Amino acid sequence: MTCSDEASPAFDYARYLAAKTTVDDRALNRHVLAELCRLMPAGAPRVLEVGAGLGTMVARLMDWGAVGAGEYVLLDEDRRLLDCARRWLCDWAAARGLRGDPLPDGLRVGDLRVRLVHAELGSYLEAAHGARADVVIANAVLDLVDVPTVLPGLLRLLVPGGVYWFTINYDGESIFAPGHPHDDLIVQAYHRDMDERFRYGRPAGESRTGRRLFHYLRAAGAPALAAGSSDWVVSAGPDGTYPGDEAYFLRSILHTIQNALRGRQDRVEPADLADWLAVRGRQLAAGELVYIAHQLDFVGRSPG
Ligand SMILES: C[S@@+](CC[C@H](N)C(=O)[O-])C[C@H]1O[C@@H](n2cnc3c(N)ncnc32)[C@H](O)[C@@H]1O
């Protein structure tokens, strides 16, 4: 599948999200997942996933038997990514021998109606809405938005007592091995960039979203019923190759850091950044680069 980013042909966001699938498969916290499965309403629930990207989570939840019928809404601000999602899910369904029938606003996968909604989350929460969801999911998204502003609206999208599952929330630790003298400088500058990012006129993310969610959820009247770590751990196998497309995933992580810091000479000298990226690129090519990112998952119920 090619759904390339024309603004930056070196970086294909859809491919990055597809490559991330196996990394997330390993990382998602199984204790928190078991609690989600226990809380998941029987029958045909209405699930809303915000910042859903390519739709890899709905595929995973079908594979893992957590959802199978009802309605699953994929909401994302990126229309092109939603177009990719339609194709990616059709291919995924075909590979499993499932029906993947197109619908005017999405597709039917087996017994599940998947709807694609193009919207920016903040604007979506401000607008009036119809039916509320039984389950709201956000995977690798809440660290990209202003949680104190967004969270109350997100919980209001749920029926009273509805279930949230907020996963892969970055929590301020990135480890690259083997160590490099510029690691601390680079990671600290990257965290600062995350903490100062603004989009849509609002703060857009925090480098310590994971640990802060304990408090934010409690303050919103929806303390977590289960929480646990969901660290990304990426390394090559004994033969020096990375699983699946995870070498591309690692390249994308390096590219993201490069993009965030290349205009910030005040924080990282361009020569230091170039040296760090060159060393990391060589280690990646040789299958020597190990990457670990600390993240946290949460499951709970909306107030009421
Ligand atoms: C890191 S990706 C994660 C995608 C998907 N959840 C996954 O784990 O594969 C973040 C996604 O959130 C979407 N996103 C970020 N900010 C958003 C916002 N304010 N409103 C709607 N979508 C947003 C992006 O377009 C992107 O698809």
Side-chain angles (χ1 to χ4, degrees), residues 13 20 49 51-53 56 76-77 81 119-121 139-140 144 199:
Y13 200 69
K20 186 169 84 67
E49 183 182 346
T56 57
D76 205 284
E77 66 181 353
L81 212 43
E120 190 280 314
L121 181 57
N139 186 63
L144 300 175
R199 293 180 70 223

Side-chain angles (χ1 to χ4, degrees), residues 13 18 24 31 44 46 60 77 92 104 106 108 110-111 116 147 157 186 197 227 252 262 270 278 288:
Y13 200 69
D24 283 354
H31 164 65
R46 185 165 187 271
R60 173 185 295 114
E77 66 181 353
W92 173 85
R108 178 171 291 283
D111 293 330
L116 308 175
V147 178
L157 294 179
I186 302 275
R197 211 163 27 203
S252 305
R262 72 169 143 213
E288 289 165 3

Side-chain angles (χ1 to χ4, degrees), residues 88-99:
W88 190 88
L89 280 169
C90 266
D91 292 349
W92 173 85
R96 274 157 184 74
L98 287 170
R99 270 177 42 210

Side-chain angles (χ1 to χ4, degrees), residues 95-284:
R96 274 157 184 74
L98 287 170
R99 270 177 42 210
D101 304 327
L103 296 171
D105 61 350
L107 68 161
R108 178 171 291 283
V109 183
D111 293 330
L112 191 67
R113 181 190 161 96
V114 178
R115 283 182 52 221
L116 308 175
V117 172
H118 176 229
E120 190 280 314
L121 181 57
S123 315
Y124 184 80
L125 295 177
E126 279 162 22
H129 293 289
R132 295 208 217 169
D134 299 301
V135 180
V136 167
I137 294 174
N139 186 63
V141 171
L142 292 186
D143 47 28
L144 300 175
V145 298
D146 187 36
V147 178
T149 310
V150 162
L151 187 61
L154 211 46
L155 293 171
R156 277 196 296 275
L157 294 179
L158 281 167
V159 297
V163 179
Y164 66 77
W165 188 46
F166 299 148
T167 47
I168 311 285
N169 298 291
Y170 185 66
D171 190 47
E173 296 290 343
S174 280
I175 297 162
F176 294 88
H180 183 285
H182 300 327
D183 281 343
D184 287 351
L185 178 76
I186 302 275
V187 171
Q188 279 164 20
Y190 182 58
H191 287 165
R192 210 166 139 193
D193 181 76
M194 286 184 83
D195 293 336
E196 293 176 359
R197 211 163 27 203
F198 255 74
R199 293 180 70 223
Y200 303 106
R202 293 186 286 268
E206 274 184 312
S207 61
R208 295 182 171 195
T209 297
R211 71 195 69 177
R212 290 183 178 149
L213 267 167
F214 285 100
H215 167 73
Y216 292 147
L217 289 164
R218 188 169 288 282
L225 296 174
S229 60
S230 51
D231 296 358
W232 282 339
V233 180
V234 184
S235 63
D239 64 352
T241 62
Y242 292 91
D245 201 17
E246 293 182 23
Y248 189 83
F249 170 84
L250 288 177
R251 245 194 299 149
S252 305
I253 296 290
L254 297 179
H255 176 86
T256 302
I257 293 175
Q258 177 180 25
N259 252 4
L261 300 185
R262 72 169 143 213
R264 301 309 310 246
Q265 287 95 324
D266 52 326
R267 294 190 187 155
V268 181
E269 288 290 332
D272 289 345
L273 179 61
D275 173 49
W276 187 84
L277 287 166
V279 171
R280 293 311 185 193
R282 284 197 295 275
Q283 290 168 340
L284 173 56

